[in-house]
Amino acid sequence: MSIENKARGIVIHDGKLLVFKLTEKATYYSLPGGHIEFGDTIENAISREMLEETGISAEVGKLLFIRQLILPDKHMIEFFYFIENSEDYLNIDLRKASHGHEVVDYKFVDLDDLTIEIRPTFLRTELKEILKTNPDTWQPKIITSYS
């Protein structure tokens, strides 16, 4: 049994979400981010992970979601932060990212485009709802899932 802590970046530009595909075999896309290392603050972890995977320094904004994933053999807690400087991510050069080789594909996807699977699955509906509101009113939401 293990407990993992991860930090993820939510980059939205013109209503589209930045997603990554990490393996050729993957049938889904996910958000940039990764493990929180021992001694890291969550904000430092998301800044480091965004820089490693995209080569771009993130302006970390509000915490939007905390997700608890509880499986029989693993417990993962993920922190999802809004990234303020979305325009900087329009021209990612993976060759300039120290971990860019880990990314097979990336794109900005419309949250209504159901042809692309985004994980975790709660993101699509939750982000569509939150984007209808004023960013000044955004409060973190806890999501618990068992699969």
Side-chain angles (χ1 to χ4, degrees), residues 43-136:
E43 293 84 358
N44 284 349
I46 191 57
S47 293
R48 175 181 43 76
E49 288 289 340
M50 294 296 291
L51 184 60
E52 288 175 355
E53 293 180 9
T54 67
I56 298 167
S57 296
E59 293 175 18
V60 180
K62 288 187 173 191
L63 174 64
L64 297 182
F65 307 107
I66 300 169
R67 176 189 184 219
Q68 304 177 93
L69 173 62
I70 303 168
L71 303 173
D73 61 341
K74 179 166 62 171
H75 186 168
M76 183 167 38
I77 301 172
E78 294 179 292
F79 302 88
F80 295 81
Y81 279 84
F82 187 75
I83 304 301
E84 299 285 346
N85 56 322
S86 66
E87 195 164 296
D88 294 345
Y89 292 87
L90 294 177
N91 298 303
I92 296 171
D93 183 351
L94 295 175
R95 295 170 299 176
K96 294 181 180 178
S98 65
H99 289 60
H101 61 279
E102 296 174 358
V103 179
V104 173
D105 187 27
Y106 73 91
K107 59 179 80 179
F108 279 89
V109 297
D110 190 305
L111 292 172
D112 290 322
D113 181 356
L114 299 178
T115 63
I116 296 174
E117 182 181 355
I118 301 171
R119 290 189 189 170
T121 56
F122 78 86
L123 282 171
R124 190 181 304 270
T125 54
E126 293 292 336
L127 285 173
K128 284 167 69 171
E129 287 303 311
I130 204 168
L131 290 174
K132 294 176 186 175
T133 64
N134 182 332
D136 293 335

